[in-house]
Amino acid sequence: MAQSFPVLLVRHAPVQLPDGVCYGRQDVALRPGWEGLASGLAVLAQGAVCRVLYSSPARRCREMAHKLAAATGMELKIDDRLAEIDFGHWEGMNWQDISRAQLDEWAADPAGFAPPGGESGMALSQRARAFWQDVKQAGVPACVLSHGGPLRVLSALAGGRQPELLAPSMPQGSARLFMVPQQHSIPITTMQAAE
């Protein structure tokens, strides 16, 4: 029977930004009071015996990650692959001010479309999948602190489903625990031919 290990996926706490604003790579501050949420997450991470904490490089994740690591003793690793999608020229705009034609184009091809000056859904998916493969290969109980876009992909992979780039995101400040089957390396033996 295959062994499994826990992976706790966490979306950063709510941010100080009005509803309806597009942000991905934009540096956005957390709303006051996020420390209490981080304390609750520390209890969850300890209960799941997480030993390593992977975080997006964004300030809104790093602040929470430093508090979580200090409270739990988890090893903190900042991983660029956990960054939110880059919305390019859409960053900081109100969604209602973005061209309807461009939004329709994105909805029709979420993997292939990239906002002007931004990143495609395929690029986001590829880096999230590469990160997930590394986590599975390591097989170490982990906490992953990231954003709606990467977590959409990671949640699907952790649940054994095909990711849907336009599926609903995890709410800000929420966490999901998955038991992930551990990958075992198959030893390669070398046989010497008889002379």
Side-chain angles (χ1 to χ4, degrees), residues 159-183:
R161 299 181 319 276
Q162 192 63 26
E164 295 179 39
L165 292 171
L166 296 181
S169 297
M170 289 174 59
Q172 291 180 350
S174 68
R176 291 183 183 156
L177 180 63
F178 293 90
M179 293 306 294
V180 179
Q182 190 155 9
Q183 291 182 340

Side-chain angles (χ1 to χ4, degrees), residues 81-97:
R81 297 174 295 181
L82 294 173
E84 181 58 288
I85 193 167
D86 185 348
F87 285 111
H89 300 312
W90 291 1
E91 295 276 349
M93 291 179 66
N94 285 320
W95 283 104
Q96 65 188 21
D97 296 333

Side-chain angles (χ1 to χ4, degrees), residues 4-19:
S4 59
F5 65 99
V7 175
L8 183 64
L9 299 181
V10 179
R11 188 169 179 197
H12 61 77
V15 296
Q16 287 193 75
L17 206 60
D19 289 341

Side-chain angles (χ1 to χ4, degrees), residues 25-98:
R25 298 287 174 90
Q26 184 177 348
D27 197 12
V28 181
L30 294 170
R31 280 190 200 154
W34 64 267
E35 296 88 352
L37 180 65
S39 296
L41 289 170
V43 173
L44 276 176
Q46 286 174 318
V49 297
C50 295
R51 296 196 340 235
V52 63
L53 169 58
Y54 297 100
S55 175
S56 158
R59 184 179 77 165
R60 58 189 179 269
C61 290
R62 278 186 293 111
E63 283 184 27
M64 287 186 69
H66 285 292
K67 185 162 183 67
L68 271 172
T72 62
M74 286 186 287
E75 178 186 3
L76 175 57
K77 296 183 178 185
I78 305 297
D79 196 310
D80 290 343
R81 297 174 295 181
L82 294 173
E84 181 58 288
I85 193 167
D86 185 348
F87 285 111
H89 300 312
W90 291 1
E91 295 276 349
M93 291 179 66
N94 285 320
W95 283 104
Q96 65 188 21
D97 296 333
I98 296 170

